[in-house]
Amino acid sequence: MYLMKDITRDGDPVLRQEAADVQFPLSAEDRKLADDMMEYLVISQDETENEKYKLRPGVGLAAPQVGESKRMAAILVPGEFEDDEPLFKGVISNPVIISHSVQDGALDMGEGCLSVDEDVAGFVPRHDRITVRYQNLDGETVKLRLKDYPAIVFQHEMDHLHGVLYYDHINQAEPWAESEDVKYIK
Ligand code: NB4
Ligand code: NI
């Protein structure tokens, strides 16, 4: 089980590397990586469990964040209400954005990252809607259309696979400058 001490932090070169493709069928090692990353998310979203293990809550976790430079990320986006089905729960490998909206979107609270200890404030403009292609744990190719919050989460995780951190996208001079061209997502 991963703890905060296992999460790589900003400054570790692995977070700035281009991750390598994942091969299918998954090796036993990669399968465990996937399971352990998803386990982190599940536990981190449980209020009593995350307190017990002192985990920062997460809706996504990319392999470079646990020191593995591989194009794999776990994503667990909860539904609106407790007991709702998650909007997305899965481990994605070799994801690619195959198309995106002209419309940009940004979370209205900005973003945080488990690998960045000090929150960097400001809007993180991304695509509001994306079509992604990735492989699931069975190696099947999946094509998915996403918008708003889940689309932002996917893009944050895919950035990690390219060595990009969320604050790279923040307007340094005016971090909270609103733009006509960006949809702000609650
Ligand atoms: C990834 C996200 C940062 C912005 C938006 C949000 C949280 C992360 C980082 C987009 C992707 C992790 C991976 C949250 C969170 C809402 C849902 C369910 C119940 C608490 C949880 C809190 F924790 N970001 N943290 N940051 N990352 N929403 N929620 N809630 O997940 O670094 O690369 O449990
Ligand atoms: Ni992150």
Side-chain angles (χ1 to χ4, degrees):
M1 167 186 173
Y2 290 126
L3 299 172
M4 289 311 295
K5 68 167 173 58
D6 303 309
I7 308 285
T8 56
R9 301 307 157 85
D10 197 5
D12 188 322
V14 74
L15 289 171
R16 292 304 191 175
Q17 284 165 16
E18 191 70 52
D21 282 350
V22 176
Q23 305 298 324
F24 284 87
L26 283 185
S27 65
E29 184 190 85
D30 285 350
R31 176 74 210 202
K32 178 164 164 52
L33 172 65
D35 292 346
D36 287 350
M37 289 198 297
M38 183 54 76
E39 178 193 41
Y40 177 94
L41 297 181
V42 171
I43 296 178
S44 83
Q45 290 187 19
D46 180 306
E47 231 176 277
T48 45
E49 293 272 288
N50 67 20
E51 263 176 53
K52 180 160 134 200
Y53 298 109
K54 305 218 178 344
L55 305 185
R56 268 181 73 184
V59 292
L61 185 65
Q65 296 184 276
V66 294
E68 296 285 344
S69 194
K70 295 175 178 173
R71 296 179 47 72
M72 183 188 279
I75 296 178
L76 178 52
V77 184
E80 190 178 358
F81 303 103
E82 224 177 323
D83 302 341
D84 279 4
E85 292 272 286
L87 293 182
F88 185 88
K89 181 178 185 178
V91 176
I92 65 171
S93 293
N94 308 322
V96 195
I97 294 178
I98 54 181
S99 67
H100 64 79
S101 56
V102 172
Q103 178 73 59
D104 284 342
L107 295 183
D108 72 342
M109 306 281 286
E111 296 188 13
C113 179
L114 297 174
S115 296
V116 180
D117 287 331
E118 292 276 340
D119 279 349
V120 182
F123 293 123
V124 182
R126 299 186 182 278
H127 308 303
D128 182 49
R129 296 185 302 279
I130 56 174
T131 303
V132 288
R133 190 172 54 215
Y134 64 89
Q135 283 170 285
N136 68 17
L137 290 176
D138 295 324
E140 295 160 345
T141 298
V142 180
K143 203 170 121 178
L144 200 63
R145 262 204 294 271
L146 297 158
K147 63 174 182 188
D148 299 340
Y149 183 58
I152 300 290
V153 177
F154 268 67
Q155 289 171 84
H156 178 114
E157 301 318 324
M158 290 175 66
D159 267 359
H160 276 301
L161 310 180
H162 295 296
V164 174
L165 295 171
Y166 74 97
Y167 62 76
D168 299 342
H169 300 291
I170 296 176
N171 174 345
Q172 293 256 358
E174 271 202 85
W176 297 110
E178 286 185 47
S179 163
E180 292 264 291
D181 302 330
V182 180
K183 173 177 169 186
Y184 296 93
I185 301 159
K186 289 252 182 290

